[in-house]
Amino acid sequence: MKDEAAMTQRLYRSLKQLPGIRALIQTPWWKVRRHRLTLALSPRRNCHFTCFLRLPTQFEALSGPVLDFLTQNASAKPLDIAVIGCSTGAEAYSIASVLRQRHPDLVFTVRAYDIDRECIEKARNGRYTPEEVFRTDLSGSTTVTANFVGVTFDIEDGCYVVKRDVRNHVRFGLADALDPNLKERIGSADIVYAQHVLIHLAAHNAKRAFRNICLLLNPRAVLFVAGMDLHILQEQTRKHGLIPSGYKLEEIYRELNAYSDGWPWNYSALEPFMTVRKEWHRRYSTIFFKA
Ligand SMILES: C[S@@+](CC[C@H](N)C(=O)[O-])C[C@H]1O[C@@H](n2cnc3c(N)ncnc32)[C@H](O)[C@@H]1O
């Protein structure tokens, strides 16, 4: 088996020396196909990586057009937000902090879930190291601003502790996106986040989880779903009748791509933004409306 792999690699290296092949493998056409192969062949691995305020423009959408959509023609009722695959809590606390700051009168709850007990314990604890708060993208920049830090944390003995006012909006619990009784267990929500979770699941599980996640959406609701195989995202959002948001699509995608490296070899890496792709609005959107 080892000999076969070594032979394949040798063959591939020799092929790459041929001028025609060398030119071909630099083209987007080939890279798109190579990434489909990567997606099909790569074993998926669970990952707990998370950041505070990872996609600032997506947060802008949350506090702007997304809230407008949900509050249109509706009597003011408390907003219910579910986060599936919350890891150690950075995303859930970021949502609560942004909404509190930009909409001080909004009544809302963030319920955040993960399958990992240790992550949930750490999230409930709400204490973070400076490295966890100021995580950087691949260029070495952080999206966390002094203003965000000021409204989100108290600093105690060098530790960043989530402020009580932010924490009061957030609950954490164990739940599995693959659980066929997910909806019965955790109920529905106005906004559901399922970000950077489905990309780490094999295709058949990603589709099962996506179906369960869609069942959580209230009749008028919004799904945030960055970090998923793009062809599955396209197929599943179309199948479930979800409408892509066009709000600063390219900007959000660029922020997402700042954490991704190794396309077309790495399964979680993102392709370049290509408006020649069919249905590119759906393919590159990370926010979907259910109306
Ligand atoms: C890469 S983290 C993403 C954290 C956060 N959503 C973000 O975007 O920063 C993915 C998390 O999803 C969790 N996860 C994986 N499979 C899951 C499942 N079937 N149900 C719920 N959570 C899951 C993992 O344990 C991990 O903590």
Side-chain angles (χ1 to χ4, degrees):
M1 197 65 185
K2 257 186 178 168
D3 289 348
E4 267 178 43
M7 256 172 61
T8 312
Q9 270 186 13
R10 270 203 302 276
L11 178 67
Y12 188 66
R13 257 186 253 125
S14 337
L15 280 173
K16 270 186 7 185
Q17 301 311 314
L18 300 172
I21 301 284
R22 216 167 39 222
L24 178 73
I25 64 178
Q26 299 306 326
T27 60
W29 181 89
W30 182 83
K31 288 185 179 175
V32 164
R33 276 146 192 86
R34 184 60 188 81
H35 192 241
R36 272 305 278 267
L37 195 63
T38 303
L39 291 176
L41 299 181
S42 304
R44 307 297 172 109
R45 259 178 248 110
N46 196 9
C47 156
H48 299 301
F49 180 82
T50 188
C51 307
F52 286 92
L53 210 66
R54 186 188 310 207
L55 304 170
T57 311
Q58 207 193 46
F59 282 102
E60 196 182 293
L62 167 68
S63 57
V66 166
L67 275 196
D68 292 346
F69 169 78
L70 289 171
T71 50
Q72 237 174 45
N73 313 322
S75 56
K77 68 174 184 66
L79 195 71
D80 196 352
I81 303 170
V83 179
I84 306 297
C86 64
S87 187
T88 50
E91 188 181 31
Y93 286 131
S94 300
I95 295 166
S97 179
V98 166
L99 286 179
R100 247 186 66 74
Q101 194 189 18
R102 299 189 194 161
H103 297 274
D105 296 330
L106 186 73
V107 183
F108 70 93
T109 307
V110 182
R111 297 179 283 117
Y113 304 95
D114 204 283
I115 44 169
D116 189 291
R117 195 172 290 277
E118 268 180 44
C119 281
I120 291 300
E121 275 163 22
K122 164 124 179 115
R124 282 186 179 139
N125 208 6
R127 297 176 78 86
Y128 299 91
T129 63
E131 292 72 32
E132 287 166 334
V133 172
F134 296 102
R135 280 213 169 120
T136 53
D137 63 22
L138 294 171
S139 74
S141 327
T142 178
T143 48
V144 170
T145 58
N147 174 274
F148 176 81
V149 171
V151 298
T152 311
F153 301 104
D154 292 318
I155 301 174
E156 293 174 9
D157 303 327
C159 223
Y160 289 72
V161 183
V162 178
K163 283 183 187 289
R164 184 171 295 278
D165 290 348
V166 175
R167 194 192 275 255
N168 282 344
H169 286 278
V170 189
R171 309 267 174 281
F172 292 98
L174 286 168
D176 185 346
L178 291 167
D179 181 349
N181 298 317
L182 183 68
K183 163 91 180 284
E184 287 67 32
R185 281 213 47 230
I186 70 170
S188 62
D190 304 304
I191 302 179
V192 177
Y193 278 75
Q195 306 218 94
H196 308 104
V197 182
L198 304 180
I199 188 84
H200 298 297
L201 301 181
H204 64 286
N205 280 338
K207 289 180 190 179
R208 258 178 66 200
F210 192 88
R211 195 174 51 239
N212 285 345
I213 286 163
C214 283
L215 290 174
L216 302 179
L217 296 168
N218 278 339
R220 189 172 182 85
V222 181
L223 174 66
F224 284 72
V225 68
M228 182 174 178
D229 293 16
L230 296 180
H231 64 288
I232 300 182
L233 173 85
Q234 242 175 303
E235 169 201 290
Q236 292 296 309
T237 55
R238 198 186 317 109
K239 180 171 163 189
H240 290 272
L242 299 173
I243 303 154
S245 158
Y247 184 79
K248 299 194 180 174
L249 199 69
E250 188 167 0
E251 210 164 318
I252 297 174
Y253 193 80
R254 189 166 33 76
E255 288 170 358
L256 195 57
N257 219 344
Y259 293 87
S260 128
D261 198 13
W263 185 78
W265 308 101
N266 171 1
Y267 77 79
S268 63
L270 280 177
E271 70 190 29
F273 192 84
M274 292 183 267
T275 52
V276 289
R277 302 248 15 180
K278 267 192 208 145
E279 271 195 315
W280 62 270
H281 279 101
R282 184 176 290 286
R283 189 171 178 85
Y284 299 131
S285 188
T286 60
I287 304 172
F288 291 85
F289 295 111
K290 177 181 169 188

